[in-house]
Amino acid sequence: MWTLSGFSDEIDDDFATQCEVVTGLGLKYIELRSAWGTNVLDLDDDQLASVQRILDEHGLQVSSIGSPIGKIKITDDFGPHLDRMRHAAEVAQRLKAPYLRLFSFFIPEGEDPDVHRDEVITRMRAIADVAEQAGVIAVHENEKEIFGDIPRRCLDIVTTVDSPNLKLAWDPANYVQCGVKPFTEGYADLRPHTVYIQVKDALLTDSSVVLAGAGDGEVPETIRALREDGFDGFFSLEPHLGTQNALGGFSGADLWIQAHTAFTGILRSEGIAYA
């Protein structure tokens, strides 16, 4: 049984509205990135209490904290950011989220990412230490303009750090936007380390984000392989069908529902059960 989740903040800024829409679609989980227009790591205690109350009212749980950890420049001071990672882990514990999504630092424009490898690995090791202490699984999401943008560097991160609490999230659209055919060029190497799937697709021609299955993200091929491999985890809808920027995206309720319909349509056509 595969479990659907999603970045509900792409539906609406209001957290209760987010929850109403996803429960109307039958989801039991969300990936929490922001509420009331505020990033999850910047919510105060009262807001976090309200989040928990609204989740409980709708019978929802949190699959992952969609944090911005690692979305600073590799040349920025890391000390305060590591403190923010500690806070992110505390939020994950408070909301009983088993996963915490993060990144591997923006590389200065025009520079070779591999020049910064050692510093990236040092920082990711420190982040993994925090995750280990908190008992949460940190999942690195491939993202354009960061070190871990292509399969080779994602594999380097996770195998070099070699922590049971640092794994990979799979975002096919982000790979496409880096000129990569995800399944063809990355699946075999990355599958042993991949525990969380982001549902997003894109076109190689212009990097535009499209409905799952309508782009070059090789979504159906990946779905079939995951089924054959016995994958049993979360698929998190991250449509990005409206606007997008370095810290996230927005779709609105109608496009979010379309994204859900497109992905569940693929699952049904493949005879895959989901909840």
Side-chain angles (χ1 to χ4, degrees), residues 18-265:
Q18 297 177 28
C19 293
E20 289 168 9
V21 172
V22 299
T23 54
L25 294 170
L27 274 68
K28 301 298 183 184
Y29 288 85
I30 65 165
E31 181 153 358
L32 184 57
R33 180 171 52 196
S34 68
W36 305 291
T38 300
N39 185 271
V40 60
L41 301 190
D42 296 319
L43 297 172
D44 62 27
D45 284 344
D46 289 341
Q47 288 172 314
L48 285 171
S50 294
V51 163
Q52 187 63 69
R53 174 181 56 79
I54 293 169
L55 288 170
D56 292 344
E57 288 173 352
H58 290 83
L60 287 167
Q61 299 179 64
V62 178
S63 63
S64 178
I65 300 299
S67 87
I69 295 300
K71 279 202 169 184
I72 62 170
K73 295 177 181 178
I74 190 61
T75 53
D76 288 343
D77 185 9
F78 182 54
H81 201 65
L82 188 58
D83 288 339
R84 191 160 170 79
M85 172 60 194
R86 295 187 183 99
H87 175 62
E90 291 170 355
V91 172
Q93 290 176 319
R94 178 169 179 171
L95 297 177
K96 298 181 174 61
Y99 296 103
L100 170 62
R101 186 276 307 260
L102 43 72
F103 305 87
S104 55
F105 307 98
F106 289 118
I107 302 301
E109 186 176 359
E111 295 189 13
D112 180 359
D114 291 314
V115 170
H116 298 278
R117 176 191 181 274
D118 290 350
E119 179 62 20
V120 169
I121 296 300
T122 296
R123 293 183 177 198
M124 296 304 290
R125 176 67 258 180
I127 285 171
D129 287 343
V130 173
E132 289 174 15
Q133 293 163 11
V136 64
I137 304 297
V139 287
H140 173 272
E141 180 181 332
N142 55 289
E143 171 72 274
K144 56 185 177 295
E145 299 174 0
I146 66 171
F147 179 83
D149 56 350
I150 59 175
R152 173 178 63 83
R153 286 191 283 265
C154 290
L155 184 63
D156 186 16
I157 290 169
V158 74
T159 55
T160 303
V161 173
D162 192 23
S163 166
N165 291 70
L166 180 63
K167 301 295 182 180
L168 297 178
W170 175 274
D171 188 313
N174 288 352
Y175 279 132
V176 169
Q177 290 176 335
C178 292
V180 172
K181 292 182 177 180
F183 180 75
T184 301
E185 300 177 36
Y187 185 86
D189 287 338
L190 300 183
R191 173 63 186 94
H193 311 281
T194 299
V195 299
Y196 200 90
I197 310 297
Q198 309 286 57
V199 181
K200 192 160 88 238
D201 206 345
L203 299 174
L204 280 166
T205 53
D206 61 3
S207 293
S208 60
V209 178
V210 295
L211 293 169
D216 297 303
E218 301 180 309
V219 173
E221 294 92 331
T222 305
I223 292 303
R224 293 174 195 132
L226 288 167
R227 176 180 57 193
E228 293 172 5
D229 288 346
F231 183 84
D232 183 20
F234 289 107
F235 290 78
S236 184
L237 296 165
E238 189 183 12
H240 277 23
L241 295 173
T243 60
Q244 55 184 299
N245 56 52
L247 295 179
F250 186 80
S251 298
D254 290 345
L255 290 174
W256 210 95
I257 292 169
Q258 286 184 37
H260 176 271
T261 300
F263 183 63
T264 55

